[in-house]
Each structure stands twice: as structure tokens, then as C-alpha cells.
Amino acid sequence: ILGKELDVISLSSQKEPEVYGNKFYIKDVKNMDKYLKEYAYIIFKERLDNVYSKIKEKIPYPNLKVRKMNSRWGVCNRRSVSITLNLELIKKDIKYLDYVIVHELCHFVEFNHSSKFWDIVSKYNPDYKEIRKEMRD
């Protein structure tokens, strides 16, 4: 989780998934994906709040969705004012998560991948080219 290898501990008394040290506590290992998604939503929401607070452009605060996706790290839907983040991001270092959030939020300013869009992305994530390259590898 977030680039770190964790031991999964199943406790019948565990209500919500939690990480302490190098352990991931969940109620039942059989429902690992469910708990991973719940935990991811908590972390993604915290990071969304953090990144959103730094955006200077006037954009709406989006609804957050988390789901497994095969070919994308994130999706911006301007019509429903939402961003969807790939569940697999929970396994990556936080810098990748933050980059995808910046990328998707910038689509509320420029709904394309023009040079103007990338100028806005670089304003909030100057290392975006390196991060994109690492994510492709």
C-alpha cells in the first residue's frame, strides 16, 4: 500500500480497514478487495482535499469515485463533476497518486491535453514528465 509491502492481519473485531506500521488490519481476508477499496477511498479523499486546497484556478470540488480500471489511472467527468481514480493507485507511492489527482483536477480548467493544460499541470507538479515516465515503466 502506497509503495510499501504490508502484512495483512485479519481480526473479526476490526470494523474498518486500518494501517498501523507495516500491518494492514481488516475484518476478513476473503473480502480483501472490498477492504482495499474502502481504505483507498479514505486515503484518496485525504489526498484530493490536500491537492485541491493548492489549486489556484477556480474549479468545482469533484465527487470522488474509486474503481479498478484496466487502461487509465484516472478519469475526469466534467458533466457529473467527478473524478474516478484507479484502485491500483493505492499500491503505488503517494507521488503517483498526487500526480493523477493534479492531472484530473486540471481537466476542470482545460478539458484536453494541450500545451496550456500541461502548463497548468506543471505549475502544481513540476516533475510530472518524470512521474509519467515512471508510471509507464
Side-chain angles (χ1 to χ4, degrees):
I1 294 179
L2 298 177
K4 297 179 186 130
E5 201 167 307
L6 303 178
D7 295 325
V8 177
I9 309 294
S10 180
L11 298 172
S12 60
S13 62
Q14 190 72 28
K15 288 184 171 71
E16 292 187 8
E18 294 178 276
V19 172
Y20 288 112
N22 65 341
K23 299 193 182 335
F24 183 48
Y25 294 93
I26 60 174
K27 187 171 187 158
D28 182 5
V29 176
K30 287 181 268 180
N31 293 318
M32 180 67 176
D33 281 350
K34 174 186 171 231
Y35 293 117
L36 195 57
K37 188 173 180 179
E38 286 176 18
Y39 185 71
Y41 185 86
I42 293 165
I43 298 300
F44 292 3
K45 180 82 167 81
E46 287 174 3
R47 298 312 304 164
L48 172 60
D49 291 347
N50 180 276
V51 171
Y52 182 83
S53 71
K54 296 174 183 168
I55 302 290
K56 302 284 188 254
E57 288 77 8
K58 187 170 171 61
I59 61 171
Y61 184 86
N63 294 315
L64 174 63
K65 299 174 185 178
V66 178
R67 68 180 176 90
K68 278 189 175 185
M69 292 187 272
N70 293 323
S71 61
R72 295 180 176 192
W73 291 111
V75 176
C76 173
N77 187 319
R78 290 187 352 168
R79 194 172 313 148
S80 67
V81 188
S82 66
I83 62 169
T84 304
L85 300 176
N86 190 330
L87 178 59
E88 290 297 305
L89 282 166
I90 195 63
K91 298 175 183 175
K92 299 252 181 219
D93 186 280
I94 203 156
K95 71 180 181 179
Y96 303 109
L97 172 60
D98 284 355
Y99 160 71
V100 173
I101 292 171
V102 165
H103 182 110
E104 299 311 328
L105 289 178
C106 288
H107 278 307
F108 286 106
V109 180
E110 284 290 319
F111 200 62
N112 55 49
H113 288 110
S114 65
S115 60
K116 189 174 178 186
F117 169 81
W118 291 112
D119 288 346
I120 298 166
V121 170
S122 68
K123 183 172 155 182
Y124 299 104
N125 200 320
D127 300 334
Y128 82 89
K129 287 181 182 176
E130 181 181 315
I131 291 170
R132 283 173 50 88
K133 184 181 182 307
E134 291 170 5
M135 291 179 83
R136 281 191 292 262
D137 293 343

